[in-house]
Amino acid sequence: MVDTTSTKKPRIGVFVCHCGTNIAGSIDVKGLVEYAKTVPNVAFAQDYQYVCSTPGQKIITDAIEKEKLTGTVVAACSPRLHEPTFRTATKEGGLNQFRFEMANIREQGSWVHMHDRDAATDKAKDAVRIAVAKAALLQDLEPKAVPVEKAALVVGAGIAGMQAALDLANAGIKTYLVEKNPSIGGRMSQLDKTFPTLDCSQCILTPKMVDVGRAPNIELMTYSEIDAVEGYIGNFDVTIRKKARGVLSMAEAEAKGISGGGCNGCGDCEPVCPVIKPNPFEEGMKPRKAIYIYHPQVVPLLYTVDFDSCIKCNLCVTVCGDKKAIDLEMKDELIKVKVGTVILAIGFDIFPVENKREWGYKQFENVVTSLEFERLICASGPTGGHLIRPSDGKEPKRIGFVLCAGSRDNTGIGKPYCSRFCCMYSLKHAHQIIEKMPGAIPYIFYMDIRSFGKMYEEFYYRIQDEGAKFIRGRVANILEDPVTKNLHVYAEDTMLQRPMDMEMDLVVLAAAVQPAALTDKTRKLFGVSCSLDGWLLEAHPKLNPCGTTTAGVFLAGVCQGPKDIPDAVAQAEGAASAASIPIHRGEVELEPFFAQCIEEKCAGCGMCINLCPYQALSLVDKEAGKKVMQVTEAKCKGCGTCGAFCPGGAIWMQHFSTPQIVAQIDAFLLGGVK
Amino acid sequence: MADVKKPKILGILCNWCSYAGADLAGSARTQYPPDVRVVRVMCTGRVDPLFIMKAFTDGADGVLVSGCHFGDCHYLEGNYKSAKRMFLMKSLLKGIGMEDKRLRMTFVSASEGAKWAKVIEDVVNTINELGPSPLKEMTK
């Protein structure tokens, strides 16, 4: 039986916050309190400097008892900020925590009408009246506790995703780690060295990759993508598409009854494959067969068939022989897992810097991106670590680095933000050139050198001392000498205030980073918002940088915004900690804003059933011939789409009921400031 | 004539996108006209056509319903369903001889504080141009 009545005669307490001068600076707080006392159902009204402070909350708890309040209204900041605080205070005062309503007079009041005190005060009065009208009709509700599945999902196995998965696994939580590429490791596995320590990237990465591969609590799913997500915190049902890899692992072969079979990474298949394509791991600078290994240190050690280019000649199948590891008829497989919490660590892509046509990328052979430079200088790269320029294979002597290539760009072509790590890796590149190629000079064209991290500024000084040339000026244009294929870099040296034309043998563009291609699809699957530039939106930029507005979904690494390796790892550890809390607690409390069926009014028409995106509603037999709608509370998320539609008004939305909202509308329009 | 300078406009905002976007405009101290009063719901899918009609019969000069962008709804598709209903409500308003511009649906995300301020300016300008609601005169 749904209780649609409020039994008690409402006595509402109104507490108005000054918030220092944040509110009191633009709103007549005293006048607001006096006004509140005249609003119907208000039994008590008081202002205080900071209602959220301990003494401020005590005013609420005391007033509830002394004034026998049935509900509270705090006129202060946004409910998105302090609703939990005042719900707790209301509960401590002896009322049900949901007998609280907030009037937002700061974010949507004093802060946006700073220069019109009268209008801001009038708006605040209306906001208080609207809130009191709702508070008078609020009911006791109990949060619903739901059990949390003791497993977690990490999407993306770059350094952030791997770290998060390792932490979760070490905390005793079963973790599914899903990676779209054939191997884990992410962008970091493409790098040669890392700044400022000059650690070999692979040397510090591979131990972690091996740990991930070995961890008994991690179920690694490479070459897989997220297909569908249902459910909510504690109970996410995730469908993972395991893309057809064309190659069986030893375990998979064993399961299929091929004893001793499966891919052991011997590599016999690769030389016989007749198909040659560019290798994306090497930024297209090296050939790759249609059956390939992603890079030499892959985890898991498995070959992969690129079905887009495979011509199914079966030569690889023949050479694989009794191992029977290759199955060219393999199909995608859908795997369903149930997890309690999710971490998104889906990384980034490189901005297509050819869009900035003035720098000539993809027009001139000797203009490369920094990631291409990483591969060219890396011992496992296409040239074995010998830096040569693409046009003639000669060793470059004058190498220009263009910083902010697409970052800090307000032309609409590039990105307005700073990509944060380009300054530092360009310094590292300059060091590598000086170290490996005596006589070669790196020229760094920069706007500012942003060396913000621990030991970063010291690294910058070191590179200056080593002889790299720094030119403060954004590169306007790059042109190619058609005979020598050398490049003319046109820039203004803003220190000397003169334009310059410098001839370079090779130019490296420190291209901006942008959200990975799958970001938009993935975030929509998990219901995560993005900021204006497309990076995933954290719950709070300062105080909840790992969380999202979707409970149980957390963020790690560059997908939340550009960051270097230490920051990505730190955020991953934070996200893993946050994601493990609900799992270790074992249950979470959900806001009980469920739909309820008022059975006397329900005609059993069933029109609401298909409106629900969560299949939370169903028709059940009540008595002879009468069907009524029934809500499965565990599935209902409280959006109210059904409640807005029911022709008979038979759906009662808890905490957002029709009488409550209509009372708010009436309070605004009929009970206005006279 | 009622006071044209102070139109009464009701804003019904979803919790996840538009309300957060309005909060962001506040944190950024983006100034905008003070004429819209806000009622928060979890999703624009909750907006019963009754609420719109109630607001107009109560004397509102305009109603703004604002939710997430299509594809961004916290509840998957509440904003689509709301948008459909708002189309219906607009034709209903026309049917009873009101300007359908008095009802507006917008899509403002949690990161679009500046857009929120523009939306409010635009809505207030539109309502000011239209003047007081004819329904208000009739129900007087």
Side-chain angles (χ1 to χ4, degrees):
Chain A
M1 182 76 185
V2 182
D3 177 21
T4 57
T5 57
S6 311
T7 43
K8 302 173 201 161
K9 163 105 181 66
R11 287 178 62 80
I12 308 300
V14 178
F15 307 88
V16 182
C17 185
H18 292 240
C19 196
T21 55
N22 278 315
I23 292 169
S26 308
I27 286 174
D28 173 13
V29 171
K30 295 286 179 195
L32 187 56
V33 171
E34 289 314 309
Y35 173 78
K37 287 177 181 166
T38 68
V39 173
N41 293 325
V42 171
F44 178 81
Q46 194 182 329
D47 60 305
Y48 190 70
Q49 271 290 327
Y50 296 100
V51 180
C52 60
S53 66
T54 309
Q57 292 187 54
K58 193 162 183 308
I59 294 173
I60 300 177
T61 50
D62 288 352
I64 291 172
E65 210 184 325
K66 218 179 281 170
E67 304 290 334
K68 306 215 170 349
L69 301 179
T70 62
T72 53
V73 166
V74 174
C77 51
S78 171
R80 294 174 56 87
L81 197 65
H82 260 316
E83 193 172 58
T85 315
F86 297 124
R87 272 190 191 156
T88 309
T90 304
K91 194 175 171 184
E92 281 173 358
L95 281 178
N96 181 277
Q97 59 176 341
F98 292 101
R99 286 184 172 270
F100 162 74
E101 181 67 13
M102 206 150 178
N104 183 344
I105 61 168
R106 193 181 75 169
E107 278 85 345
Q108 298 180 24
S110 62
W111 279 353
V112 287
H113 317 301
M114 295 177 92
H115 311 300
D116 192 345
R117 196 175 172 85
D118 290 343
T121 306
D122 279 351
K123 188 176 176 181
K125 286 176 181 172
D126 286 359
V128 166
R129 203 171 60 245
I130 291 169
V132 169
K134 181 164 179 184
L137 295 178
L138 287 174
Q139 298 173 304
D140 289 356
L141 296 173
E142 289 311 320
K144 190 177 176 67
V146 293
V148 177
E149 189 70 28
K150 289 215 170 300
L153 169 72
V154 179
V155 186
I159 184 61
M162 288 181 351
Q163 184 66 48
L166 279 172
D167 283 7
L168 287 167
N170 287 336
I173 295 163
K174 165 91 181 172
T175 305
Y176 300 94
L177 179 58
V178 175
E179 167 59 47
K180 70 175 189 305
N181 285 322
S183 170
I184 60 172
R187 291 285 175 193
M188 193 176 163
S189 58
Q190 286 181 285
L191 308 182
D192 181 38
K193 298 275 192 296
T194 57
F195 60 79
T197 52
L198 301 173
D199 280 315
C200 155
S201 183
Q202 282 286 10
C203 309
I204 55 176
L205 182 68
T206 42
K208 278 212 191 292
M209 291 169 63
V210 172
D211 285 351
V212 168
R214 279 203 194 120
N217 270 337
I218 295 180
E219 188 165 334
L220 187 54
M221 296 174 167
T222 52
Y223 213 51
S224 301
E225 288 176 13
I226 307 297
D227 217 52
V229 182
E230 280 176 19
Y232 49 92
I233 180 169
N235 299 278
F236 289 105
D237 290 299
V238 183
T239 309
I240 298 162
R241 176 177 297 271
K242 204 172 158 210
K243 293 182 281 186
R245 181 178 210 134
V247 174
L248 294 170
S249 71
M250 289 188 196
E252 286 165 338
E254 199 68 44
K256 284 200 164 189
I258 309 163
S259 97
C263 181
N264 61 7
C266 68
D268 290 346
C269 49
E270 196 172 347
V272 300
C273 178
V275 179
I276 293 176
K277 288 274 170 182
N279 183 345
F281 182 82
E282 302 289 355
E283 296 296 304
M285 296 183 295
K286 200 176 177 179
R288 186 179 87 180
K289 298 296 185 67
I291 186 161
Y292 65 96
I293 193 162
Y294 193 56
H295 62 81
Q297 287 112 319
V298 289
V299 173
L301 179 54
L302 277 180
Y303 274 72
T304 306
V305 177
D306 172 14
F307 281 107
D308 290 337
S309 55
C310 173
I311 54 170
K312 301 205 174 171
C313 63
N314 271 332
L315 286 172
C316 54
V317 178
T318 313
V319 77
C320 190
D322 289 343
K323 293 196 288 292
K324 293 183 180 159
I326 302 170
D327 174 7
L328 296 181
E329 302 305 321
M330 197 182 268
K331 292 275 177 290
D332 288 4
E333 205 182 320
L334 294 179
I335 298 166
K336 283 188 192 298
V337 299
K338 199 171 179 69
V339 295
T341 52
V342 176
I343 294 175
L344 300 181
I346 52 179
F348 63 96
D349 281 343
I350 302 296
F351 164 71
V353 73
E354 60 270 27
N355 293 354
K356 297 288 288 181
R357 296 198 48 83
E358 60 267 38
W359 295 324
Y361 181 63
K362 290 199 175 166
Q363 302 165 55
F364 310 137
E365 287 172 79
N366 292 331
V367 178
V368 300
T369 65
S370 294
L371 203 52
E372 288 168 350
F373 182 90
E374 288 285 349
R375 295 316 301 158
L376 287 171
I377 200 108
C378 180
S380 70
T383 58
H386 184 64
L387 180 65
I388 51 171
R389 59 184 209 156
S391 69
D392 50 16
K394 282 189 190 147
E395 212 171 73
K397 289 288 169 208
R398 300 161 297 181
I399 301 135
F401 290 89
V402 178
L403 268 52
C404 299
S407 308
R408 305 174 69 192
D409 179 315
N410 287 320
T411 60
I413 300 168
K415 306 289 175 184
Y417 50 81
C418 166
S419 296
R420 277 190 98 211
F421 41 81
C422 331
C423 284
M424 291 308 296
Y425 70 59
S426 294
L427 293 176
K428 173 194 75 181
H429 290 164
H431 168 83
Q432 287 176 292
I433 286 167
I434 292 164
E435 183 186 73
K436 277 196 169 181
M437 302 158 62
I441 302 174
Y443 294 87
I444 297 174
F445 295 87
Y446 69 101
M447 286 162 69
D448 308 283
I449 295 290
R450 296 190 164 174
S451 50
F452 53 89
K454 192 175 180 181
M455 297 303 285
Y456 287 11
E457 189 71 7
E458 293 86 337
F459 187 68
Y460 175 28
Y461 296 148
R462 175 180 167 187
I463 308 307
Q464 284 177 326
D465 291 341
E466 284 177 350
K469 306 282 184 227
F470 289 82
I471 299 143
R472 199 188 80 177
R474 194 163 202 169
V475 173
N477 203 6
I478 295 174
L479 292 176
E480 185 185 56
D481 181 327
V483 179
T484 62
K485 302 281 180 186
N486 288 347
L487 301 155
H488 287 271
V489 177
Y490 297 95
E492 183 196 348
D493 187 329
T494 57
M495 295 287 202
L496 300 174
Q497 293 192 324
R498 67 168 193 219
M500 50 200 308
D501 162 13
M502 299 196 47
E503 194 173 341
M504 296 287 155
D505 303 318
L506 181 72
V507 168
V508 184
L509 303 177
V513 293
Q514 65 182 24
L518 280 173
T519 300
D520 217 45
K521 181 190 166 202
T522 311
R523 77 174 180 84
K524 283 177 179 168
L525 284 172
F526 288 96
V528 174
S529 305
C530 66
S531 45
L532 285 179
D533 40 28
W535 301 109
L536 299 183
L537 192 66
E538 62 284 342
H540 191 281
K542 307 271 186 296
L543 302 178
N544 196 352
C546 299
T548 68
T549 48
T550 301
V553 179
F554 303 90
L555 305 176
V558 180
C559 64
Q560 181 257 332
K563 52 181 70 67
D564 56 10
I565 293 166
D567 285 1
V569 171
Q571 195 186 20
E573 300 206 277
S577 162
S580 69
I581 292 168
I583 292 174
H584 284 316
R585 282 183 63 152
E587 63 172 32
V588 286
E589 286 192 343
L590 303 181
E591 287 183 326
F593 304 158
F594 310 118
Q596 301 284 315
C597 177
I598 306 168
E599 291 185 356
E600 310 86 85
K601 290 188 180 175
C602 178
C605 69
M607 292 180 87
C608 51
I609 311 290
N610 288 332
L611 276 176
C612 179
Y614 304 109
Q615 293 85 43
L617 312 181
S618 54
L619 278 183
V620 292
D621 286 316
K622 181 69 183 165
E623 53 218 39
K626 181 170 160 55
K627 282 182 187 293
V628 291
M629 184 271 275
Q630 195 178 55
V631 182
T632 309
E633 282 187 1
K635 287 183 176 177
C636 176
K637 293 198 186 183
C639 64
T641 306
C642 57
F645 185 80
C646 179
I651 297 177
W652 179 263
M653 292 307 305
Q654 295 190 153
H655 211 67
F656 288 92
S657 72
T658 300
Q660 286 164 2
I661 295 172
V662 168
Q664 287 178 291
I665 296 170
D666 284 347
F668 163 36
L669 293 158
L670 300 180
V673 190
K674 298 290 187 298
Chain B
M1 278 292 279
D3 187 3
V4 184
K5 279 183 187 156
K6 280 192 180 169
K8 282 184 172 287
I9 305 168
L10 173 71
I12 308 180
L13 274 59
C14 86
N15 179 60
W16 303 100
C17 294
S18 289
Y19 198 90
D23 277 354
L24 186 67
S27 316
R29 313 297 197 275
T30 311
Q31 306 294 302
Y32 57 79
D35 303 298
V36 178
R37 303 292 183 262
V38 169
V39 168
R40 180 173 67 125
V41 291
M42 295 311 275
C43 176
T44 50
R46 175 69 187 100
V47 181
D48 193 323
L50 169 76
F51 302 161
I52 313 289
M53 288 325 291
K54 189 77 181 103
F56 281 118
T57 52
D58 280 358
D61 299 307
V63 176
L64 166 68
V65 176
S66 192
C68 306
H69 288 278
F70 288 142
D72 262 4
C73 178
H74 193 77
Y75 305 99
L76 310 177
E77 50 200 35
N79 53 355
Y80 285 100
K81 284 162 185 161
S82 186
K84 274 188 182 171
R85 286 173 197 158
M86 293 312 125
F87 271 120
L88 190 74
M89 290 310 292
K90 273 173 165 289
S91 56
L92 196 106
L93 288 181
K94 259 192 204 163
I96 60 169
M98 278 178 73
E99 303 92 341
D100 63 347
K101 276 203 261 177
R102 292 188 184 276
L103 172 63
R104 171 98 177 257
M105 184 164 191
T106 59
F107 309 96
V108 177
S109 82
S111 57
E112 292 178 326
K115 183 179 172 186
W116 173 251
K118 284 223 165 65
V119 162
I120 295 290
E121 268 171 36
D122 200 45
V123 167
V124 171
N125 285 342
T126 307
I127 301 300
N128 277 337
E129 277 165 26
L130 292 172
S133 158
L135 215 54
K136 185 157 40 183
E137 297 297 304
M138 273 189 270
T139 49
K140 250 182 190 169

